């Protein structure tokens, strides 16, 4: 009685994270929406994570979440966004048989995104996303064709020509293998980036990503400020 | 004599409206441009409406105009725009046999856009476009497959995951039918949105749109300001 | 001795130019990157030019460079960029047998871009790119199908409807021929533009471009400021 609910309860809302990310669940998806989005019969609950900025930080954090909760990636989209910069936003939809699994996946992912967003760097002329993870799970396998259980490195720089030089630099820095790549018109959404996803021994992947980060950062600084992690400047 | 024409007369210019919309006519389209754009033989005049921000506000206003002037929709494009936000701009080209019809269509549409733009909401982390109209004409029929003469609701929210939750909410709120939908890579231009177009009894459509508006507004406020109508903040 | 190298040497870096353009070379491209990007066997060096803003200013300057250095255009991409405005950025990759050719091509192109960027105009509601060149070389031939050695005009305005009116105006202004065109969904990247590339006698091409510039500028001013060349306002 006289209970004040403020702000109003939003049943779907779980929380937010870096990169203007919001995490939500739908406990029982509407049957028409289910058909439209080709949600398989066995899932009635959806875990939803969606951001204005970033792609791989979210993918890696959601991959980690998928190892800890009983969920399956159903939809992955890379809209052109980054709030006026030249990269992506994202949409991840995961199916769960039980809403508690969906909720747990979102909670773990949001915490992970707040850590992983350290690897998203932006300045006024470019951006980079640089990540290494030791142990790819089913989401990274599905999105970027990383072998399950292997190390994964994500090397992305913009504008696209800088991405090309960082990719070339990474490949020369350590014995790694490319499992996925994108240019504006290939696998991307006409964003101004070149991206490679790499695998190999963890040490080699880390060295390739670190070397690429340094090269991209140096090049972007030739005509702009030091690219700062979005955790620090936003 | 001594008449000062200021600003210079631009024969094509008719006027502007909300969403950085400009309305123009071409009285006699150039034959090469006609061929390039596949303008049918019977139309020599074009009515052109084009915006940096918005899609359905303009579509509904132009639909109303098409009921009052003898014009036919020839081109509809949804470029990725919104001036740095994560949605669309638009291009509408309508054919008319007579330039007075083209002019009249643009004039009616511009007035309508200034009203309909009430339903375009933006804040720093998201946007929504929410509209209801009682009686779909030929333009809405052509673009969104709305049955002629039926009510139409447009439910759009960004980032895309919020659009998914608002769509799910709308479908559970009232007995309506989806006639069109879009995700970043399906029917849209890699914008960070999910959209549904719905039809049904007017009351049901209105309830679905209003419920979706409230859900989208609540969710966007969890990490940003109250999304404001572009009529009020620009 | 005691030589201070500041900033740190970046082997790939050549220089920057207008439109947030950066020019780089890769002396010996990595073999995996070569395969991925389909770089022909005979080229081991790459000349790379990439921008946040602009397309034809860079294309014309690079075309001029390709006449003076032994390089071939291998990759041309038009990402959706312009730093929040409604147009393109770009990526050009040229192959060279020798790194000195690659370097020379980049140096000439960067100088040319700083001149040609005069023809890129932006204001808060639209943009235009308007260029004339007397003598198309292999790069303009390859990208825009301009006959080798012929004059080339580039007419681009945004939002897209203004581009349509400027194109129509240009075609009526002088006896020119369209060799290339783009609308948001045709040949472009869902940018909010319409573009035509024209050829003909130099005088006719220049008259068409100048007339289109005036029309586009007048129309954009009806709802915004005078579009300023990016050389002057940035």
């Amino acid at each position: 009685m006289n209970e004040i609910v403020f702000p109003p309860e939003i049943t779907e809302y779980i929380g937010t994270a870096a990169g203007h990310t919001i995490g939500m669940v739908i406990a029982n998806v509407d049957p028409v929406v289910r058909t439209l989005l080709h949600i398989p019969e066995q899932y009635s609950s959806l875990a939803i994570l969606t951001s204005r900025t970033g792609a791989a930080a979210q993918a890696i954090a959601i991959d980690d979440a998928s190892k800890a909760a009983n969920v399956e990636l159903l939809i992955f989209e890379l809209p052109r966004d980054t709030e006026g910069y030249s990269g992506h936003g994202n949409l991840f939809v995961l199916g769960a048989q039980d809403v508690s699994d969906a909720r747990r996946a979102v909670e773990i992912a949001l915490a992970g995104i707040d850590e992983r967003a350290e690897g998203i760097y932006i300045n006024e002329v470019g951006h980079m996303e640089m990540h290494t993870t030791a142990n790819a799970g089913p989401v990274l396998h599905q999105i970027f064709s990383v072998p399950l259980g292997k190390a994964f490195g994500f090397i992305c720089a913009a504008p696209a020509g800088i991405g090309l030089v960082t990719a070339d630099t990474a490949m020369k820095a350590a014995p790694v293998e490319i499992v996925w790549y994108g240019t504006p018109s290939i696998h991307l959404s006409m964003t101004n980036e070149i991206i490679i996803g790499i695998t190999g021994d963890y040490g080699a992947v880390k060295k390739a990503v670190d070397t690429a980060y340094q090269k991209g950062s140096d090049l972007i600084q030739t005509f702009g400020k030091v690219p700062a992690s979005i955790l620090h400047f936003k």
Side-chain angles (χ1 to χ4, degrees), chain A residues 172-215:
Chain A
K172 291 168 176 168
V176 292
E177 197 187 322
I178 294 179
V179 289
W180 190 92
Y181 80 106
T183 78
S185 66
I186 301 176
H187 302 150
L188 300 181
S189 310
M190 301 314 296
T191 46
N192 199 348
E193 308 169 302
I194 284 184
I195 300 176
I196 54 171
I198 58 175
T199 194
D201 289 341
Y202 179 75
V205 168
K206 184 156 180 12
K207 191 177 173 193
V209 171
D210 289 348
T211 310
Y213 163 81
Q214 197 53 55
K215 178 69 71 182

mmCIF file of all heavy atoms in Angstrom, chain A residues 172-215:
data_model
loop_
_atom_site.group_PDB
_atom_site.id
_atom_site.type_symbol
_atom_site.label_atom_id
_atom_site.label_comp_id
_atom_site.label_asym_id
_atom_site.label_seq_id
_atom_site.Cartn_x
_atom_site.Cartn_y
_atom_site.Cartn_z
ATOM 1 N N LYS A 172 52.729 -10.168 -39.354
ATOM 2 C CA LYS A 172 54.189 -10.286 -39.384
ATOM 3 C C LYS A 172 54.780 -10.418 -37.982
ATOM 4 O O LYS A 172 55.956 -10.747 -37.829
ATOM 5 C CB LYS A 172 54.790 -9.054 -40.074
ATOM 6 C CG LYS A 172 54.496 -8.987 -41.574
ATOM 7 C CD LYS A 172 54.858 -7.617 -42.143
ATOM 8 C CE LYS A 172 54.655 -7.560 -43.651
ATOM 9 N NZ LYS A 172 54.717 -6.171 -44.163
ATOM 10 N N ALA A 173 53.974 -10.135 -36.949
ATOM 11 C CA ALA A 173 54.510 -10.063 -35.586
ATOM 12 C C ALA A 173 54.589 -11.421 -34.905
ATOM 13 O O ALA A 173 55.387 -11.619 -33.992
ATOM 14 C CB ALA A 173 53.656 -9.117 -34.734
ATOM 15 N N ALA A 174 53.741 -12.366 -35.310
ATOM 16 C CA ALA A 174 53.661 -13.637 -34.589
ATOM 17 C C ALA A 174 52.989 -14.673 -35.479
ATOM 18 O O ALA A 174 52.230 -14.314 -36.376
ATOM 19 C CB ALA A 174 52.852 -13.459 -33.293
ATOM 20 N N PRO A 175 53.268 -15.965 -35.226
ATOM 21 C CA PRO A 175 52.674 -17.026 -36.060
ATOM 22 C C PRO A 175 51.217 -17.282 -35.683
ATOM 23 O O PRO A 175 50.921 -18.140 -34.872
ATOM 24 C CB PRO A 175 53.551 -18.245 -35.746
ATOM 25 C CG PRO A 175 54.065 -17.995 -34.358
ATOM 26 C CD PRO A 175 54.180 -16.507 -34.192
ATOM 27 N N VAL A 176 50.314 -16.499 -36.290
ATOM 28 C CA VAL A 176 48.878 -16.660 -36.029
ATOM 29 C C VAL A 176 48.155 -16.906 -37.337
ATOM 30 O O VAL A 176 48.719 -16.720 -38.415
ATOM 31 C CB VAL A 176 48.296 -15.397 -35.344
ATOM 32 C CG1 VAL A 176 48.854 -15.240 -33.928
ATOM 33 C CG2 VAL A 176 48.560 -14.145 -36.168
ATOM 34 N N GLU A 177 46.908 -17.270 -37.230
ATOM 35 C CA GLU A 177 46.103 -17.631 -38.401
ATOM 36 C C GLU A 177 44.850 -16.751 -38.422
ATOM 37 O O GLU A 177 44.269 -16.490 -37.369
ATOM 38 C CB GLU A 177 45.696 -19.100 -38.229
ATOM 39 C CG GLU A 177 45.207 -19.811 -39.455
ATOM 40 C CD GLU A 177 44.677 -21.197 -39.046
ATOM 41 O OE1 GLU A 177 45.295 -21.834 -38.148
ATOM 42 O OE2 GLU A 177 43.642 -21.605 -39.603
ATOM 43 N N ILE A 178 44.453 -16.302 -39.600
ATOM 44 C CA ILE A 178 43.235 -15.496 -39.710
ATOM 45 C C ILE A 178 42.023 -16.418 -39.837
ATOM 46 O O ILE A 178 41.995 -17.288 -40.709
ATOM 47 C CB ILE A 178 43.313 -14.535 -40.922
ATOM 48 C CG1 ILE A 178 44.429 -13.494 -40.695
ATOM 49 C CG2 ILE A 178 41.967 -13.837 -41.153
ATOM 50 C CD1 ILE A 178 44.626 -12.510 -41.842
ATOM 51 N N VAL A 179 41.036 -16.236 -38.940
ATOM 52 C CA VAL A 179 39.819 -17.057 -39.018
ATOM 53 C C VAL A 179 38.625 -16.266 -39.548
ATOM 54 O O VAL A 179 37.595 -16.838 -39.923
ATOM 55 C CB VAL A 179 39.452 -17.658 -37.639
ATOM 56 C CG1 VAL A 179 40.457 -18.747 -37.270
ATOM 57 C CG2 VAL A 179 39.376 -16.585 -36.546
ATOM 58 N N TRP A 180 38.744 -14.932 -39.564
ATOM 59 C CA TRP A 180 37.632 -14.071 -39.985
ATOM 60 C C TRP A 180 38.200 -12.726 -40.374
ATOM 61 O O TRP A 180 39.209 -12.300 -39.808
ATOM 62 C CB TRP A 180 36.647 -13.899 -38.819
ATOM 63 C CG TRP A 180 35.348 -13.245 -39.136
ATOM 64 C CD1 TRP A 180 34.196 -13.871 -39.500
ATOM 65 C CD2 TRP A 180 35.038 -11.839 -39.089
ATOM 66 N NE1 TRP A 180 33.198 -12.938 -39.700
ATOM 67 C CE2 TRP A 180 33.696 -11.684 -39.443
ATOM 68 C CE3 TRP A 180 35.784 -10.697 -38.790
ATOM 69 C CZ2 TRP A 180 33.063 -10.451 -39.512
ATOM 70 C CZ3 TRP A 180 35.161 -9.463 -38.855
ATOM 71 C CH2 TRP A 180 33.808 -9.348 -39.208
ATOM 72 N N TYR A 181 37.597 -12.075 -41.355
ATOM 73 C CA TYR A 181 38.047 -10.718 -41.657
ATOM 74 C C TYR A 181 36.893 -9.914 -42.226
ATOM 75 O O TYR A 181 35.877 -10.470 -42.660
ATOM 76 C CB TYR A 181 39.229 -10.731 -42.633
ATOM 77 C CG TYR A 181 38.809 -10.918 -44.071
ATOM 78 C CD1 TYR A 181 38.833 -9.850 -44.966
ATOM 79 C CD2 TYR A 181 38.374 -12.146 -44.527
ATOM 80 C CE1 TYR A 181 38.421 -10.010 -46.285
ATOM 81 C CE2 TYR A 181 37.973 -12.315 -45.837
ATOM 82 C CZ TYR A 181 37.994 -11.248 -46.708
ATOM 83 O OH TYR A 181 37.580 -11.409 -47.994
ATOM 84 N N GLY A 182 37.059 -8.611 -42.211
ATOM 85 C CA GLY A 182 36.042 -7.745 -42.794
ATOM 86 C C GLY A 182 36.657 -6.476 -43.345
ATOM 87 O O GLY A 182 37.624 -5.943 -42.802
ATOM 88 N N THR A 183 36.122 -6.025 -44.470
ATOM 89 C CA THR A 183 36.417 -4.704 -45.017
ATOM 90 C C THR A 183 35.059 -3.994 -45.116
ATOM 91 O O THR A 183 34.021 -4.631 -44.904
ATOM 92 C CB THR A 183 37.071 -4.793 -46.412
ATOM 93 O OG1 THR A 183 36.051 -5.077 -47.390
ATOM 94 C CG2 THR A 183 38.147 -5.873 -46.469
ATOM 95 N N PRO A 184 35.022 -2.698 -45.438
ATOM 96 C CA PRO A 184 33.714 -2.031 -45.426
ATOM 97 C C PRO A 184 32.609 -2.819 -46.119
ATOM 98 O O PRO A 184 31.512 -2.965 -45.568
ATOM 99 C CB PRO A 184 34.016 -0.700 -46.134
ATOM 100 C CG PRO A 184 35.444 -0.403 -45.769
ATOM 101 C CD PRO A 184 36.122 -1.748 -45.754
ATOM 102 N N SER A 185 32.907 -3.373 -47.291
ATOM 103 C CA SER A 185 31.839 -4.037 -48.048
ATOM 104 C C SER A 185 31.835 -5.551 -47.884
ATOM 105 O O SER A 185 30.939 -6.224 -48.390
ATOM 106 C CB SER A 185 31.961 -3.689 -49.537
ATOM 107 O OG SER A 185 33.143 -4.241 -50.069
ATOM 108 N N ILE A 186 32.828 -6.113 -47.204
ATOM 109 C CA ILE A 186 32.894 -7.567 -47.017
ATOM 110 C C ILE A 186 32.710 -7.887 -45.538
ATOM 111 O O ILE A 186 33.543 -7.498 -44.701
ATOM 112 C CB ILE A 186 34.239 -8.133 -47.520
ATOM 113 C CG1 ILE A 186 34.425 -7.821 -49.003
ATOM 114 C CG2 ILE A 186 34.329 -9.637 -47.268
ATOM 115 C CD1 ILE A 186 35.765 -8.251 -49.573
ATOM 116 N N HIS A 187 31.598 -8.530 -45.183
ATOM 117 C CA HIS A 187 31.282 -8.964 -43.808
ATOM 118 C C HIS A 187 30.998 -7.811 -42.853
ATOM 119 O O HIS A 187 30.672 -8.052 -41.695
ATOM 120 C CB HIS A 187 32.402 -9.837 -43.213
ATOM 121 C CG HIS A 187 32.715 -11.054 -44.005
ATOM 122 N ND1 HIS A 187 33.958 -11.627 -44.052
ATOM 123 C CD2 HIS A 187 31.938 -11.811 -44.804
ATOM 124 C CE1 HIS A 187 33.945 -12.676 -44.845
ATOM 125 N NE2 HIS A 187 32.730 -12.805 -45.312
ATOM 126 N N LEU A 188 31.180 -6.566 -43.285
ATOM 127 C CA LEU A 188 30.874 -5.430 -42.420
ATOM 128 C C LEU A 188 29.683 -4.671 -43.001
ATOM 129 O O LEU A 188 29.072 -5.104 -43.977
ATOM 130 C CB LEU A 188 32.100 -4.526 -42.263
ATOM 131 C CG LEU A 188 33.348 -5.196 -41.659
ATOM 132 C CD1 LEU A 188 34.488 -4.204 -41.517
ATOM 133 C CD2 LEU A 188 33.025 -5.814 -40.309
ATOM 134 N N SER A 189 29.361 -3.545 -42.386
ATOM 135 C CA SER A 189 28.144 -2.798 -42.739
ATOM 136 C C SER A 189 28.499 -1.455 -43.346
ATOM 137 O O SER A 189 27.882 -0.454 -43.033
ATOM 138 C CB SER A 189 27.300 -2.599 -41.480
ATOM 139 O OG SER A 189 27.124 -3.814 -40.804
ATOM 140 N N MET A 190 29.486 -1.444 -44.242
ATOM 141 C CA MET A 190 29.972 -0.214 -44.853
ATOM 142 C C MET A 190 30.574 0.728 -43.797
ATOM 143 O O MET A 190 30.632 1.936 -44.003
ATOM 144 C CB MET A 190 28.891 0.492 -45.674
ATOM 145 C CG MET A 190 28.332 -0.353 -46.791
ATOM 146 S SD MET A 190 29.593 -1.214 -47.792
ATOM 147 C CE MET A 190 30.483 0.143 -48.538
ATOM 148 N N THR A 191 31.004 0.134 -42.688
ATOM 149 C CA THR A 191 31.784 0.897 -41.721
ATOM 150 C C THR A 191 33.176 1.128 -42.291
ATOM 151 O O THR A 191 33.643 0.386 -43.152
ATOM 152 C CB THR A 191 31.904 0.119 -40.404
ATOM 153 O OG1 THR A 191 32.249 -1.230 -40.702
ATOM 154 C CG2 THR A 191 30.583 0.135 -39.666
ATOM 155 N N ASN A 192 33.847 2.169 -41.787
ATOM 156 C CA ASN A 192 35.167 2.563 -42.303
ATOM 157 C C ASN A 192 36.270 1.858 -41.510
ATOM 158 O O ASN A 192 37.027 2.494 -40.774
ATOM 159 C CB ASN A 192 35.291 4.086 -42.182
ATOM 160 C CG ASN A 192 36.377 4.656 -43.068
ATOM 161 O OD1 ASN A 192 37.200 3.924 -43.616
ATOM 162 N ND2 ASN A 192 36.387 5.966 -43.208
ATOM 163 N N GLU A 193 36.335 0.527 -41.652
ATOM 164 C CA GLU A 193 37.233 -0.300 -40.848
ATOM 165 C C GLU A 193 37.776 -1.447 -41.684
ATOM 166 O O GLU A 193 37.140 -1.869 -42.647
ATOM 167 C CB GLU A 193 36.464 -0.974 -39.702
ATOM 168 C CG GLU A 193 35.640 -0.091 -38.848
ATOM 169 C CD GLU A 193 34.712 -0.872 -37.922
ATOM 170 O OE1 GLU A 193 33.894 -1.670 -38.428
ATOM 171 O OE2 GLU A 193 34.828 -0.684 -36.709
ATOM 172 N N ILE A 194 38.922 -1.972 -41.275
ATOM 173 C CA ILE A 194 39.324 -3.327 -41.668
ATOM 174 C C ILE A 194 39.597 -4.089 -40.382
ATOM 175 O O ILE A 194 40.183 -3.563 -39.438
ATOM 176 C CB ILE A 194 40.521 -3.327 -42.638
ATOM 177 C CG1 ILE A 194 40.021 -2.924 -44.039
ATOM 178 C CG2 ILE A 194 41.210 -4.699 -42.680
ATOM 179 C CD1 ILE A 194 41.057 -2.971 -45.139
ATOM 180 N N ILE A 195 39.092 -5.328 -40.323
ATOM 181 C CA ILE A 195 39.162 -6.159 -39.116
ATOM 182 C C ILE A 195 39.743 -7.520 -39.485
ATOM 183 O O ILE A 195 39.413 -8.057 -40.534
ATOM 184 C CB ILE A 195 37.749 -6.387 -38.520
ATOM 185 C CG1 ILE A 195 37.088 -5.053 -38.144
ATOM 186 C CG2 ILE A 195 37.797 -7.326 -37.315
ATOM 187 C CD1 ILE A 195 35.649 -5.192 -37.637
ATOM 188 N N ILE A 196 40.610 -8.079 -38.602
ATOM 189 C CA ILE A 196 40.912 -9.511 -38.705
ATOM 190 C C ILE A 196 40.659 -10.153 -37.343
ATOM 191 O O ILE A 196 40.892 -9.551 -36.298
ATOM 192 C CB ILE A 196 42.354 -9.823 -39.181
ATOM 193 C CG1 ILE A 196 43.413 -9.125 -38.327
ATOM 194 C CG2 ILE A 196 42.534 -9.482 -40.653
ATOM 195 C CD1 ILE A 196 44.847 -9.597 -38.636
ATOM 196 N N GLY A 197 40.155 -11.385 -37.392
ATOM 197 C CA GLY A 197 40.049 -12.240 -36.211
ATOM 198 C C GLY A 197 41.098 -13.323 -36.365
ATOM 199 O O GLY A 197 41.194 -13.945 -37.425
ATOM 200 N N ILE A 198 41.918 -13.529 -35.319
ATOM 201 C CA ILE A 198 43.032 -14.470 -35.436
ATOM 202 C C ILE A 198 42.978 -15.530 -34.345
ATOM 203 O O ILE A 198 42.362 -15.334 -33.294
ATOM 204 C CB ILE A 198 44.399 -13.738 -35.371
ATOM 205 C CG1 ILE A 198 44.526 -12.941 -34.063
ATOM 206 C CG2 ILE A 198 44.584 -12.824 -36.567
ATOM 207 C CD1 ILE A 198 45.895 -12.288 -33.865
ATOM 208 N N THR A 199 43.639 -16.639 -34.602
ATOM 209 C CA THR A 199 43.782 -17.676 -33.586
ATOM 210 C C THR A 199 45.211 -18.207 -33.624
ATOM 211 O O THR A 199 45.995 -17.836 -34.495
ATOM 212 C CB THR A 199 42.749 -18.803 -33.766
ATOM 213 O OG1 THR A 199 42.716 -19.608 -32.587
ATOM 214 C CG2 THR A 199 43.062 -19.675 -34.960
ATOM 215 N N GLY A 200 45.540 -19.068 -32.674
ATOM 216 C CA GLY A 200 46.898 -19.615 -32.549
ATOM 217 C C GLY A 200 47.199 -19.817 -31.080
ATOM 218 O O GLY A 200 46.283 -19.803 -30.247
ATOM 219 N N ASP A 201 48.487 -20.026 -30.740
ATOM 220 C CA ASP A 201 48.858 -20.116 -29.324
ATOM 221 C C ASP A 201 48.550 -18.789 -28.652
ATOM 222 O O ASP A 201 48.719 -17.732 -29.256
ATOM 223 C CB ASP A 201 50.358 -20.426 -29.193
ATOM 224 C CG ASP A 201 50.658 -21.853 -29.629
ATOM 225 O OD1 ASP A 201 49.722 -22.663 -29.667
ATOM 226 O OD2 ASP A 201 51.832 -22.125 -29.947
ATOM 227 N N TYR A 202 48.174 -18.847 -27.382
ATOM 228 C CA TYR A 202 47.771 -17.621 -26.694
ATOM 229 C C TYR A 202 48.857 -16.550 -26.737
ATOM 230 O O TYR A 202 48.578 -15.377 -27.015
ATOM 231 C CB TYR A 202 47.404 -17.920 -25.233
ATOM 232 C CG TYR A 202 47.008 -16.664 -24.497
ATOM 233 C CD1 TYR A 202 45.773 -16.067 -24.716
ATOM 234 C CD2 TYR A 202 47.885 -16.058 -23.599
ATOM 235 C CE1 TYR A 202 45.408 -14.903 -24.067
ATOM 236 C CE2 TYR A 202 47.529 -14.880 -22.941
ATOM 237 C CZ TYR A 202 46.290 -14.313 -23.184
ATOM 238 O OH TYR A 202 45.938 -13.149 -22.551
ATOM 239 N N GLY A 203 50.103 -16.955 -26.512
ATOM 240 C CA GLY A 203 51.202 -15.980 -26.505
ATOM 241 C C GLY A 203 51.357 -15.300 -27.858
ATOM 242 O O GLY A 203 51.587 -14.085 -27.937
ATOM 243 N N ALA A 204 51.221 -16.069 -28.918
ATOM 244 C CA ALA A 204 51.352 -15.504 -30.267
ATOM 245 C C ALA A 204 50.188 -14.563 -30.568
ATOM 246 O O ALA A 204 50.376 -13.476 -31.126
ATOM 247 C CB ALA A 204 51.399 -16.640 -31.294
ATOM 248 N N VAL A 205 48.985 -14.964 -30.192
ATOM 249 C CA VAL A 205 47.807 -14.117 -30.424
ATOM 250 C C VAL A 205 47.966 -12.809 -29.666
ATOM 251 O O VAL A 205 47.730 -11.722 -30.210
ATOM 252 C CB VAL A 205 46.512 -14.856 -29.997
ATOM 253 C CG1 VAL A 205 45.324 -13.901 -29.959
ATOM 254 C CG2 VAL A 205 46.232 -16.020 -30.948
ATOM 255 N N LYS A 206 48.394 -12.906 -28.419
ATOM 256 C CA LYS A 206 48.558 -11.690 -27.611
ATOM 257 C C LYS A 206 49.618 -10.766 -28.216
ATOM 258 O O LYS A 206 49.430 -9.548 -28.296
ATOM 259 C CB LYS A 206 48.935 -12.073 -26.172
ATOM 260 C CG LYS A 206 49.032 -10.862 -25.259
ATOM 261 C CD LYS A 206 48.817 -11.199 -23.812
ATOM 262 C CE LYS A 206 48.924 -9.945 -22.913
ATOM 263 N NZ LYS A 206 48.936 -8.657 -23.588
ATOM 264 N N LYS A 207 50.719 -11.361 -28.679
ATOM 265 C CA LYS A 207 51.777 -10.531 -29.264
ATOM 266 C C LYS A 207 51.274 -9.830 -30.533
ATOM 267 O O LYS A 207 51.551 -8.654 -30.770
ATOM 268 C CB LYS A 207 53.006 -11.397 -29.584
ATOM 269 C CG LYS A 207 54.211 -10.555 -29.944
ATOM 270 C CD LYS A 207 55.460 -11.386 -30.194
ATOM 271 C CE LYS A 207 56.575 -10.478 -30.712
ATOM 272 N NZ LYS A 207 57.695 -11.285 -31.266
ATOM 273 N N ALA A 208 50.535 -10.566 -31.361
ATOM 274 C CA ALA A 208 50.004 -9.972 -32.599
ATOM 275 C C ALA A 208 49.051 -8.820 -32.281
ATOM 276 O O ALA A 208 49.118 -7.750 -32.900
ATOM 277 C CB ALA A 208 49.294 -11.049 -33.428
ATOM 278 N N VAL A 209 48.163 -9.022 -31.308
ATOM 279 C CA VAL A 209 47.193 -7.981 -30.958
ATOM 280 C C VAL A 209 47.914 -6.770 -30.356
ATOM 281 O O VAL A 209 47.617 -5.618 -30.712
ATOM 282 C CB VAL A 209 46.119 -8.526 -29.990
ATOM 283 C CG1 VAL A 209 45.237 -7.395 -29.457
ATOM 284 C CG2 VAL A 209 45.263 -9.584 -30.674
ATOM 285 N N ASP A 210 48.869 -7.019 -29.456
ATOM 286 C CA ASP A 210 49.594 -5.899 -28.827
ATOM 287 C C ASP A 210 50.371 -5.094 -29.862
ATOM 288 O O ASP A 210 50.402 -3.859 -29.819
ATOM 289 C CB ASP A 210 50.545 -6.419 -27.748
ATOM 290 C CG ASP A 210 49.780 -6.935 -26.523
ATOM 291 O OD1 ASP A 210 48.564 -6.686 -26.436
ATOM 292 O OD2 ASP A 210 50.404 -7.595 -25.666
ATOM 293 N N THR A 211 51.017 -5.785 -30.793
ATOM 294 C CA THR A 211 51.780 -5.092 -31.841
ATOM 295 C C THR A 211 50.832 -4.288 -32.733
ATOM 296 O O THR A 211 51.128 -3.143 -33.106
ATOM 297 C CB THR A 211 52.562 -6.115 -32.693
ATOM 298 O OG1 THR A 211 53.281 -6.989 -31.822
ATOM 299 C CG2 THR A 211 53.543 -5.415 -33.614
ATOM 300 N N ALA A 212 49.700 -4.861 -33.058
ATOM 301 C CA ALA A 212 48.713 -4.150 -33.890
ATOM 302 C C ALA A 212 48.171 -2.929 -33.159
ATOM 303 O O ALA A 212 47.997 -1.860 -33.755
ATOM 304 C CB ALA A 212 47.562 -5.095 -34.257
ATOM 305 N N TYR A 213 47.914 -3.078 -31.863
ATOM 306 C CA TYR A 213 47.437 -1.933 -31.073
ATOM 307 C C TYR A 213 48.434 -0.782 -31.147
ATOM 308 O O TYR A 213 48.051 0.375 -31.363
ATOM 309 C CB TYR A 213 47.235 -2.342 -29.602
ATOM 310 C CG TYR A 213 47.163 -1.141 -28.707
ATOM 311 C CD1 TYR A 213 45.986 -0.412 -28.582
ATOM 312 C CD2 TYR A 213 48.291 -0.691 -28.016
ATOM 313 C CE1 TYR A 213 45.926 0.724 -27.808
ATOM 314 C CE2 TYR A 213 48.235 0.451 -27.241
ATOM 315 C CZ TYR A 213 47.059 1.159 -27.137
ATOM 316 O OH TYR A 213 47.006 2.300 -26.387
ATOM 317 N N GLN A 214 49.719 -1.108 -30.969
ATOM 318 C CA GLN A 214 50.736 -0.052 -30.959
ATOM 319 C C GLN A 214 50.817 0.638 -32.315
ATOM 320 O O GLN A 214 50.867 1.866 -32.413
ATOM 321 C CB GLN A 214 52.094 -0.638 -30.558
ATOM 322 C CG GLN A 214 53.092 0.417 -30.130
ATOM 323 C CD GLN A 214 52.528 1.323 -29.036
ATOM 324 O OE1 GLN A 214 52.080 0.856 -27.993
ATOM 325 N NE2 GLN A 214 52.502 2.638 -29.288
ATOM 326 N N LYS A 215 50.781 -0.171 -33.383
ATOM 327 C CA LYS A 215 50.856 0.408 -34.736
ATOM 328 C C LYS A 215 49.630 1.278 -35.021
ATOM 329 O O LYS A 215 49.751 2.401 -35.529
ATOM 330 C CB LYS A 215 50.949 -0.726 -35.766
ATOM 331 C CG LYS A 215 50.983 -0.285 -37.207
ATOM 332 C CD LYS A 215 52.278 0.436 -37.559
ATOM 333 C CE LYS A 215 53.440 -0.542 -37.599
ATOM 334 N NZ LYS A 215 54.719 0.087 -37.891
#
